[in-house]
Amino acid sequence: MRTRPLKVALLGCGVVGSEVARIMTTHADDLAARIGAPVELAGVAVRRPSKVREGIDPALITTDATALVERGDIDVVVEVIGGIEPARTLITTAFENGASVVSANKALLAEDGAALHAAAEKYGRDLYYEAAVAGAIPLVRPLRESLAGDKVNRVLGIVNGTTNFILDKMDTSGAGYSEALDEATALGYAEADPTADVEGFDAAAKAAILAGIAFHTRVRIGDVHREGITEVTAADIASARRMGCTVKLLAICERAADGASVTARVHPAMIPLSHPLASVREAYNAVFVEAEAAGQLMFYGPGAGGSPTASAVLGDLVAVCRNKLGEATGPGESAYTRLPVSPMGEVVTRYHISLDVADKPGVLAQVATVFAEQGVSIDTVRQQGKDGEASLVVVTHRAPDAALSGTVEALRKLDTVRGVASIMRVEGE
């Protein structure tokens, strides 16, 4: 074993960063044995140096992150500060000064991953980011390495624990959205400002990363169709239950049937209770990968939190340090297919549409005519009426999203349709 330690700079020392530092200290002997050399925490960049950080030598703390990554003797930079800047500049500076990078920054990778990969390749460094997608769940490396010889056609999963917790509580306890969000916040599953989670931004960033790796093409967060869960109601949950379904916020990345394009989308969807994703409870994540040779693979586990995310960071750290010792680099960006990302309007799926209608003869015929004129085939219809008011629930066969949009627009013009109560896609069948 080499006795000279590999030096690690840690950018950020919050929930994840502090856990990374703790594991590096408490498991130092095991890490050294697995890597083939000891690893040494050489510096920790933070914004608030006065905060007490148990187990970390105060002499390692600095507020000058730039100076830390410019030192020249740093072998690996671990970036867990998040956001676009200064993380982007710090990572590229690290590459320029001889360090490889382990990152958990999904927002930056989804926005500017191509440029970061290009910088890593230019300077002969590693860029690893297992922790950016699903916490402790090994997902990036299996897609990037284990399935490198296969053809992945679809990635379908729950990649945000906050929204899964909220929807699970709405389903199992009958709570409304606000009540379930309050419980998630009290338990620490939701941030004080939950927008990134509940509006789907977090899941969309992860979908962009997964689609890019799975399909060997460049997908940015702006390419991902995004819908959150704030409009999901107790009535939607009840309708799903009547259909033998539950509601989940899904990230779905697909290769077109002709192989000429891909799609990436995040939105709530009804899935059958028989589907394995339906049983994913509380704040857990799970992802299905469908490949031609391997078939269906499912990855399941805690998708967030200090310890789970730190586990993924340390796994990458071990891999990068091994590469350093072997004077090699791991796999970089694979974007050779250059497939275009199709707009949401071309995505074909099923829909559950709930309408408020007048309770009088001929309404169902009018509604059915609109669907037929738009080329959307109806699978089932359920109608209830009382005192001149009625609800009509229509479940369609598979149709393009653009056709569904045209259908809803036409339905709203009918005098007998008082309003469109909800629209939700149906997946997993």
Side-chain angles (χ1 to χ4, degrees):
M1 179 185 292
R2 193 180 86 164
T3 57
R4 184 172 66 82
L6 292 160
K7 295 188 176 183
V8 177
L10 179 60
L11 307 183
C13 198
V15 173
V16 176
S18 59
E19 190 66 11
V20 169
R22 184 192 68 79
I23 295 173
M24 285 185 64
T25 302
T26 58
H27 295 180
D29 291 342
D30 286 337
L31 291 173
R34 294 166 192 172
I35 291 169
V39 288
E40 172 189 313
L41 189 58
V44 182
V46 299
R47 286 187 298 176
R48 296 188 296 275
S50 59
K51 181 180 178 180
V52 176
R53 293 172 172 85
E54 188 175 343
I56 298 177
D57 183 353
L60 297 177
I61 301 297
T62 178
T63 57
D64 194 342
T66 301
L68 179 60
V69 299
E70 286 180 340
R71 275 177 39 172
D73 64 335
I74 300 296
D75 294 290
V76 184
V77 169
V78 174
E79 182 271 309
V80 288
I81 57 177
I84 305 301
E85 288 292 356
R88 174 168 48 199
T89 298
L90 291 171
I91 288 173
T92 54
T93 301
F95 291 147
E96 293 168 3
N97 286 272
S100 290
V101 173
V102 173
S103 176
N105 195 331
K106 54 188 169 286
L108 177 58
L109 288 159
E111 176 65 31
D112 213 15
L116 294 180
H117 276 292
E121 183 177 4
K122 176 181 177 181
Y123 293 102
R125 316 298 176 207
D126 272 326
L127 174 62
Y128 276 50
Y129 44 89
E130 184 68 68
V133 175
I137 304 172
L139 189 56
V140 171
R141 192 172 290 116
L143 283 173
R144 204 158 67 155
E145 299 178 31
S146 304
L147 294 173
D150 207 339
K151 181 181 180 181
V152 176
N153 290 317
R154 194 174 195 231
V155 179
L156 166 73
I158 298 164
V159 295
N160 182 272
T162 301
T163 52
N164 199 57
F165 180 89
I166 293 170
L167 292 173
D168 181 52
K169 288 302 175 184
M170 292 175 69
D171 185 31
T172 57
S173 70
Y177 168 78
S178 296
E179 184 182 354
L181 174 59
D182 288 343
E183 184 175 354
T185 304
L187 292 172
Y189 293 130
E191 301 287 345
D193 180 1
T195 303
D197 293 320
V198 300
E199 294 292 357
F201 290 101
D202 175 85
K206 295 170 181 176
I209 295 169
L210 291 175
I213 299 170
F215 307 134
H216 302 278
T217 194
R218 288 177 177 168
V219 180
R220 299 179 66 183
I221 189 169
D223 298 320
V224 181
H225 174 82
R226 176 192 55 79
E227 298 172 29
I229 66 166
T230 56
E231 300 301 318
V232 177
T233 65
D236 293 327
I237 302 292
S239 291
R241 194 177 298 115
R242 283 192 291 269
M243 289 178 57
C245 294
T246 189
V247 178
K248 299 290 186 183
L249 182 73
L250 298 180
I252 305 171
C253 311
E254 295 177 303
R255 189 190 300 268
D258 62 3
S261 64
V262 299
T263 59
R265 51 195 165 105
V266 168
H267 55 70
M270 295 180 179
I271 57 173
L273 294 176
S274 58
H275 195 284
L277 288 178
S279 62
V280 178
R281 302 287 307 280
E282 298 195 334
Y284 277 78
N285 285 189
V287 177
F288 255 84
V289 177
E290 299 176 10
E292 285 197 356
Q296 288 189 336
L297 307 172
M298 183 171 173
F299 301 83
Y300 170 85
S307 294
T309 306
S311 172
V313 170
L314 267 295
D316 278 350
L317 179 62
V318 169
V320 170
C321 286
R322 286 171 176 170
N323 290 343
K324 278 277 184 180
L325 290 180
E327 297 182 350
T329 55
E333 183 188 35
S334 176
Y336 72 93
T337 63
R338 296 182 174 85
L339 295 173
V341 182
S342 297
M344 187 62 190
E346 297 179 12
V347 171
V348 177
T349 189
R350 298 180 66 203
Y351 298 88
H352 175 282
I353 305 167
S354 180
L355 304 171
D356 295 326
V357 299
D359 185 16
K360 62 182 183 180
V363 173
L364 180 56
Q366 287 184 325
V367 169
T369 297
V370 169
F371 277 87
E373 290 174 346
Q374 297 295 325
V376 179
S377 177
I378 294 176
D379 182 18
T380 62
V381 177
R382 186 176 71 252
Q383 185 174 14
Q384 293 179 319
K386 184 179 180 181
D387 298 330
E389 299 294 332
S391 63
L392 193 64
V393 176
V394 179
V395 179
T396 75
H397 287 291
R398 292 173 61 83
D401 191 83
L404 188 280
S405 297
T407 302
V408 172
E409 185 177 349
L411 287 170
R412 288 192 168 113
K413 294 178 180 178
L414 294 178
D415 293 337
T416 51
V417 174
R418 306 289 171 77
V420 179
S422 70
I423 305 170
M424 191 169 295
R425 296 170 182 86
V426 181
E427 299 284 348
E429 295 183 326

